[in-house]
Amino acid sequence: MRRRITGLTLVEMLVVIVLTALTATLVMQGIGQGLGLFQRVSADQGQIYRELICRLWIQQTLSTAVANIGERDEFIGESSTLQLKTFRPLLGSEGIATGIAWNIRPDRGLDYQEGEQHVAVTVLPALLRFEYQDAEAKWHPRWPADDSHALPERVRLVFDDGDNLEICLLYTSPSPRDRTRYRMPSSA
């Protein structure tokens, strides 16, 4: 009697190898697409996080800006520079009026200056400028726009492609001569 040897034939073995290779290829493509998506999301998340931090830092320094008193201008705004005194500087102690500046540098983006210290905050599009809104809702390329010593109502960054990024509303303690004109917002 002849014994029959059981096992896989050569054709069956080739079919198993081809199916295993196809499965491995599909799994590797799925992993590659998943890693590519993860890298894109991580890069976008990092950029969004940097923009959010930049926005919060600008809001922090502008929210406690000191109004212009008398002949001294404590708040001076140009299209590429914003100089002010604030009670909430990023590097110094809170509660002390500190002179700071936000500068738009074509080579470095947005730059924060406090005394002699400079911090490159974020890289922004090179075609960028500050604008300042008065009480009549008109935007100006510099501040003070007239002989007023009041703070602007709003400050915004304008990209030259037409997109506006409004930075923050300025509700600050007014100077004594402007108390009737300005009031603090309700905390509704």
Side-chain angles (χ1 to χ4, degrees):
M1 277 199 201
R2 247 178 132 187
R3 256 173 149 206
R4 184 155 195 233
I5 300 174
T6 60
L8 297 175
T9 64
L10 182 60
V11 172
E12 292 172 332
M13 192 60 135
L14 287 174
V15 168
V16 168
I17 290 173
V18 166
L19 289 176
T20 304
L22 285 174
T23 304
T25 302
L26 291 174
V27 167
M28 294 305 287
Q29 284 180 347
I31 290 173
Q33 287 179 348
L35 288 175
L37 179 63
F38 175 75
Q39 288 175 344
R40 286 192 304 273
V41 167
S42 295
D44 290 345
Q45 182 181 15
Q47 179 64 26
I48 290 169
Y49 181 72
R50 283 187 295 276
E51 289 173 6
L52 177 64
I53 290 294
C54 177
R55 182 182 173 98
L56 291 175
W57 282 350
I58 293 173
Q59 285 179 339
Q60 173 182 326
T61 58
L62 293 179
S63 66
T64 59
V66 176
N68 297 332
I69 300 173
E71 297 300 316
R72 290 186 57 204
D73 286 333
E74 304 291 346
F75 190 105
I76 300 171
E78 298 289 333
S79 61
S80 64
T81 302
L82 171 60
Q83 298 175 355
L84 64 131
K85 286 206 181 225
T86 183
F87 286 104
R88 291 189 69 194
L90 297 180
L91 305 175
S93 301
E94 287 190 17
I96 300 171
T98 306
I100 66 161
W102 288 99
N103 302 302
I104 298 172
R105 308 267 188 219
D107 56 337
R108 294 192 315 235
L110 193 60
D111 182 66
Y112 175 79
Q113 179 182 351
E114 185 176 316
E116 297 298 319
Q117 297 176 322
H118 290 268
V119 177
V121 176
T122 186
V123 176
L124 295 169
L127 302 175
L128 178 73
R129 68 184 181 279
F130 285 111
E131 286 186 351
Y132 311 91
Q133 187 182 41
D134 61 17
E136 287 80 36
K138 294 179 186 170
W139 291 99
H140 302 278
R142 60 179 34 131
W143 196 265
D146 52 21
D147 292 334
S148 169
H149 295 291
L151 293 171
E153 293 291 319
R154 299 176 189 211
V155 176
R156 70 180 178 184
L157 282 172
V158 179
F159 296 91
D160 280 352
D161 64 1
D163 292 338
N164 294 336
L165 173 65
E166 191 168 296
I167 295 300
C168 95
L169 295 172
L170 294 176
Y171 293 111
T172 62
S173 299
S175 67
R177 67 172 68 153
D178 293 330
R179 286 202 194 277
T180 58
R181 189 168 165 210
Y182 291 92
R183 59 184 169 82
M184 296 296 286
S186 62
S187 57

